[in-house]
Amino acid sequence: MFKNILCSAVIVAAGSGKRMGADKPKQFLTLNGKTIIEHTAAVFGGCNAVDEIIIVSSESGISQCHALLSQYKWSNKVKYVCGGEERHNSVYNGINAADSGSGVIIIHDGVRPFVTERIIIDSIEAAVRYGACAAGVMSKDTVKICDEAGFVLSTPDRNHVYSIQTPQAFRSEIIFDAYKTAFNNGIFGTDDAFLVENAGYSVKIINGSYSNIKITTPDDLIVGENILNGGGSYKNS
């Protein structure tokens, strides 16, 4: 779809899901009878703009992911990589396994199953054009910046405040340079866009979706079932 541009999707599914309080990692919990990782990977698997999918999971989770995903017709473009101690270690393992040495690497949470093909394609296009991008939605709430004691320091203009999601996409040389800088400085933040910003690059925000939620708590499972059953705006397009 993107001429001479190879796109590798790194799907991070190595977490233990402690906040979920379940007896298994949250990526292996089910929504409408299918595991969350299946829902997530299927969107990337069905997207022609994605040339390869790299599933990053725990050592024990790799075999389970393989068993779940090998049944799909797009499974031939999936490879599996063992995660690390922290999320940034897992992502780094994933990007190092990517074939897109001069292309685009798109990074996505394995437990964010309502990503759409449209968001994926928009992310790749923005990475090609701008070098780095992250999906996001404008904040519906007023945001307060507070000090350590909980007192308000400032109230940013809500029109300029976004809730950031994944996917986040980058030209490969940019994300590798960002990780090199992060490891050299020991500063990792909470998402890959932060690493890129911290390395001196600009990050373009593209439209995500309010349905593109991350399944983190039991309440999120209820919301996810509602979305799948027509109670939200989710459409895989």
Side-chain angles (χ1 to χ4, degrees):
M1 182 176 292
F2 295 92
K3 189 175 181 181
N4 299 323
I5 298 292
L6 185 65
C7 176
S8 301
V10 175
I11 299 178
V12 186
S16 60
K18 293 179 181 177
R19 281 180 288 178
M20 184 62 73
D23 60 354
K24 64 183 74 173
K26 55 194 174 183
Q27 57 268 27
F28 300 124
L29 298 176
T30 59
L31 289 171
N32 278 16
K34 185 183 294 185
T35 61
I36 293 171
I37 189 62
E38 286 178 87
H39 283 290
T40 304
V43 187
F44 288 87
C47 180
N48 290 333
V50 175
D51 297 288
E52 67 171 354
I53 300 169
I54 300 160
I55 302 291
V56 185
S57 190
S58 64
E59 188 172 352
S60 60
I62 286 178
S63 59
Q64 193 168 353
C65 285
H66 184 271
L68 290 167
L69 303 181
S70 61
Q71 63 183 300
Y72 294 95
K73 62 182 180 181
W74 40 263
S75 64
N76 62 329
K77 64 179 181 180
V78 181
K79 63 174 68 169
Y80 301 88
V81 174
C82 192
E85 185 175 348
E86 302 290 343
R87 183 186 184 276
H88 62 265
N89 301 116
S90 294
V91 173
Y92 189 64
N93 290 354
I95 66 176
N96 272 303
D99 289 333
S100 52
S102 58
V104 167
I105 294 177
I106 185 167
I107 301 166
H108 188 68
D109 298 318
V111 290
R112 207 180 280 272
F114 303 114
V115 63
T116 65
E117 187 172 346
R118 181 71 265 163
I119 295 174
I120 293 170
I121 292 172
D122 287 349
S123 297
I124 299 170
E125 288 178 341
V128 171
R129 182 173 181 181
Y130 302 106
C133 75
V137 290
M138 292 190 71
S139 176
K140 294 181 179 181
D141 301 310
T142 297
V143 175
K144 302 286 186 181
I145 307 300
C146 300
D147 63 19
E148 292 181 357
F151 290 97
V152 175
L153 295 174
S154 64
T155 303
D157 182 349
R158 191 170 63 186
N159 292 321
H160 300 290
V161 176
Y162 283 77
S163 296
I164 300 303
Q165 306 172 339
T166 62
Q168 298 181 1
F170 313 94
R171 288 204 297 262
S172 57
E173 66 271 18
I174 289 177
I175 191 64
F176 277 112
D177 186 49
Y179 264 88
K180 179 181 178 181
T181 300
F183 280 112
N184 285 342
N185 297 335
I187 300 174
F188 296 97
T190 56
D191 72 347
D192 300 293
F194 173 83
L195 272 62
V196 169
E197 298 160 37
N198 205 44
Y201 299 96
S202 297
V203 177
K204 173 72 173 177
I205 302 300
I206 61 114
N207 289 328
S209 167
Y210 290 104
S211 294
N212 185 25
I213 65 170
K214 186 177 181 181
I215 306 295
T216 304
T217 67
D219 286 344
D220 296 329
L221 286 172
I222 297 171
V223 174
E225 292 279 2
N226 188 46
I227 292 171
L228 284 175
N229 292 323
S233 59
Y234 170 72
K235 290 183 179 180
N236 182 21
S237 61

